Amino acid sequence: MTAKTILILGGILGVLSVGIGAFGAHGLEATLTANARLDTFETAVKYQFYHTLALILLGILMLNVQSNYFNYAGISFLIGIVIFSGSLYTLSLTNITWLGAITPIGGLAFIMGWIFLILGVSKSL
């Protein structure tokens, strides 16, 4: 992925983070409260936002430094957002509890993203 692609995806995910968070707080509060999943939903939004910011910082870094590790980091962060936050959003809205078993896969993708970021910096700078 190019720096431009990463930055655009970061912007899109930033918009979605704010929109999903606001919609959850206002439009979904009754459902999330009934399912006792308000905290779970908030965790999903927080992790999506944290890793959206990581994508933006990664894109800025990629403007000046080239490393395949940065590509892997970006892909890992994206996979993490989809699987970690996505499974928690779905769990929060549907109360399908087996989805909680998928969430750690997204967490592992987040961890791998940070490891790839470290490797890219250590090998390139």
Side-chain angles (χ1 to χ4, degrees), residues 3 53 57 84 87 118:
L53 292 174
L57 293 172
F84 184 90
S87 66
I118 293 165

Side-chain angles (χ1 to χ4, degrees), residues 32-55:
L32 296 173
T33 302
N35 290 342
R37 297 289 183 188
L38 186 58
D39 288 343
T40 303
F41 193 87
E42 288 177 356
T43 298
V45 172
K46 281 192 265 186
Y47 274 77
Q48 179 175 335
F49 225 134
Y50 297 154
H51 290 88
T52 294
L53 292 174
L55 277 173

